[in-house]
Amino acid sequence: MGEPYYITTAISYPNGKPHIGHAYEAIAADVIARFKKAEGFDVRFQTGTDEHGLKMAQKARELDTTPADLATEMSQHFRDMCDTLNIGYDVFIRTTEPRHHAATQKLWKRMEAAGDLYLDRYEGWYSVRDEAYYDESELVAGEGGEKLSPQGTPVEWTVEESWFFRLSKYQDKLLELYGSSDFIRPDSRKNEILRFVEGGLRDLSVSRTSFDWGIKVPGSDNHVMYVWVDALTNYITGLGFPEEDGDYAKFWPADLHLIGKDIVRFHTVYWPAFLMSAGLPLPKQVFGHGFLLNRGQKESKSLGNVTDPIGLAETFGVDAVRYFLLREVAFGQDGSWSHEAIVTRANAELANSFGNLAQRSLSMIFKNMDGEVKADLPETKADAALFAAVDEGIAGLRAAFDALDFSNGLDAWMRAVFACNQYVDEQAPWTLRKTDPSRMEAVLMTLFRVVRDLAIAVRPVVPASIDALLDQMGLVPEARDYAALADKGWLAALVATGYKVDKPVGVFPRLEMPEVAPV
C-alpha cells in the first residue's frame, strides 16, 4: 500500500434531514479520497453524525421521543445520502457510540492534566442553533432590534456553572502555527482567523449543566461536555484513540479536515488548542469550502427552498450531480446552482462532448473493425499531437485536483476532450473507411487509447459511469488508477486476450428538465 492519507468531512448535525450543502461536502471529500487512491495513496475517509447537544434534546422533546432514538433515526438519513451519492467512506462515526465517549473523556483528562481546565461561572450570549457562545461585540441587530449571532441565529443570555478551557494560553502558539504552515485554506479563511486570534482569545466554556444529553465530564455528576470538545474528538475516535497504535499511529495527524466556512473557527482555533493541550499532533490542513446557493439564495427552511440531495440524484443521475457540483463552483468560494444549470452543464460536457466521443469511437470500432482492437498501428503527427494534448489535459487535472481546484482541473480535462472531438472531425474516419481503411483503423485505435486515458483521469468524479464505460472497453478493475496511465503496453496486452468491443451503451444520457422540479 502507498503512503497513508486521512481525510474527514465535518460530522453532520442530524436534527434535520440532509440538504444539498451536506451532499456538496460529502461529494467533494469522496472525490478527493478517490483521487488520492488513484494517485496510489492508502486512503482513510471518515464522515458521520454529531448527535449530542441542546438542539437534539429540544428536537426530541418536540417530537415526543428520546434523543437517542431521534439520533439513530436521523443518522440513518445521512448514511442513506452517502449510499445514494456513491460516497465511499471507510468509517461512519456516531458521537453516541461508547468508543467516542471513551476517546473524548481521555482527551478531557489530558487537557486537565496539562492544567488547562478550571471551574467557574459562565455569563454570556449563547446561540442554541450554533452551539456557540458569542462576545457582545460579535452580535448583530435583527430586524426587530433583537440580538443575533454573526450567522443571524437567535442568542440568549445564559448564566451557569461551567468548566473553562485556557484558550488564551494558546494564542501565540496558534499564530505561530498559522504563520508557518498552510494549516488554514483558502487564504480568505486564514486571514479571517488570523484577525480573530490577533484580537485576543478568551478562555472557552467547555461544559454545560442545563441539559444532560452529552458526554459526562469525568468525575462530575451534573456537567456534560460542551458540544465542540465532544464533536471535534470524532476525528481521532474513528482511528481508535485513546489507543495510540494501529490506525491512529498510521493515519494521525489527518491530512485534511474538509468543512464548511461557517465552522472554520472551531476547527482552526479550538481544535488545535485542545490537541496542543493534550500533547497530540495537529492535523496538517483545514479547508473551509463555500456555500451552495439556490439561484443565488442560501437554502433555508423558512424560505422553503431546501433541496433534498437524494431527490436531485434520482432526477438527474448521481454522476451528473457530482460532476456539476465540482465543475460549476470554484472550490472554496460560494457558488450558485439551479436545475437548468445542471442540465446545461451535464448535457454540454458529459453527454455531448465526452459521452458522444466515447460512444462514437466504440461504435465505429464495433461496426468497422468487427470490434477487434489492434496495437502498434502506424502513427502520424496528428495522432502524436492528440496524445500530447490529452496528456497535457490529464496532467492539468491531476495538478489542479492536488490543489483542490476541481473546477480548473475539469476545465483542463475538457480541453483535452475538445481536442479529441476536433481530431475526429479532421480525420473523418467515416470517409477513411472508403478511401484508406488501414488509416481508419489507426485513427479508431488512437481514439480508443485517448478515451481510456480520459476516462481513468475523470473516474474519481463520476466513478459509476466511468466503470460502466471501462467495462465496455475490456479494462480490468485493477487497471483503473493513475499508475495505469503510465502503462504503455496495456493495449497490446488487451489485444493478446482476444477482447472484442461489443455494441456500446452510452453512459452519459442526455438530461431533460423535469416537468416538476425536485425539491
Side-chain angles (χ1 to χ4, degrees), residues 20 261 291-300 303 305 307 324 328-329 334-341:
I20 196 166
K261 65 179 185 179
F291 289 146
L292 269 185
L293 307 174
N294 189 335
R295 301 179 192 278
Q297 280 189 309
K298 193 173 176 194
E299 295 198 353
S300 74
L303 287 173
N305 66 346
T307 304
F324 170 83
E328 192 80 5
V329 180
D334 291 350
S336 203
W337 76 277
S338 67
H339 300 109
E340 294 88 345

Side-chain angles (χ1 to χ4, degrees), residues 6-181:
Y6 180 34
I7 177 173
T8 70
T9 66
I11 49 174
S12 303
Y13 205 75
N15 64 330
K17 288 185 178 179
H19 55 66
I20 196 166
H22 296 115
Y24 180 50
E25 183 168 300
I27 288 167
D30 182 69
V31 170
I32 296 165
R34 289 177 187 272
F35 168 73
K36 288 293 182 181
K37 279 181 191 166
E39 290 284 14
F41 286 83
D42 182 4
V43 175
R44 174 92 162 196
F45 170 21
Q46 179 168 307
T47 189
T49 41
D50 172 15
E51 299 176 10
H52 291 130
L54 185 54
K55 279 188 291 192
M56 286 295 283
Q58 289 178 340
K59 186 76 174 176
R61 200 176 308 122
E62 270 176 44
L63 298 173
D64 196 24
T65 187
T66 66
D69 285 348
L70 176 65
T72 297
E73 177 193 339
M74 297 306 289
S75 181
Q76 188 59 45
H77 291 300
F78 287 83
R79 283 185 189 265
D80 293 344
M81 177 195 77
C82 287
D83 291 346
T84 299
L85 297 175
N86 201 4
I87 309 300
Y89 59 81
D90 299 293
V91 179
F92 189 100
I93 192 89
R94 295 184 56 193
T95 56
T96 45
E97 295 176 52
R99 63 175 172 160
H100 183 65
H101 285 247
T104 308
Q105 289 179 326
K106 180 66 173 179
L107 186 77
W108 181 282
K109 287 174 182 172
R110 288 178 75 142
M111 295 193 296
E112 190 174 39
D116 286 340
L117 297 172
Y118 62 92
L119 200 57
D120 205 339
R121 211 166 81 106
Y122 187 82
E123 296 188 21
W125 294 104
Y126 183 72
S127 163
V128 173
R129 203 176 306 166
D130 298 347
E131 300 279 13
Y133 289 106
Y134 293 101
D135 190 71
E136 181 91 37
S137 63
E138 297 181 88
L139 302 181
V140 295
E143 287 178 11
E146 72 277 17
K147 293 179 186 293
L148 301 175
S149 78
Q151 268 72 254
T153 59
V155 294
E156 53 194 47
W157 185 256
T158 304
V159 181
E160 63 181 297
E161 183 182 72
S162 176
W163 283 92
F164 281 78
F165 172 72
R166 295 186 197 279
L167 185 62
S168 56
K169 173 178 160 183
Y170 292 94
Q171 180 171 338
D172 291 343
K173 287 183 180 175
L174 288 168
L175 290 172
E176 188 184 328
L177 169 68
Y178 308 150
S180 63
S181 69

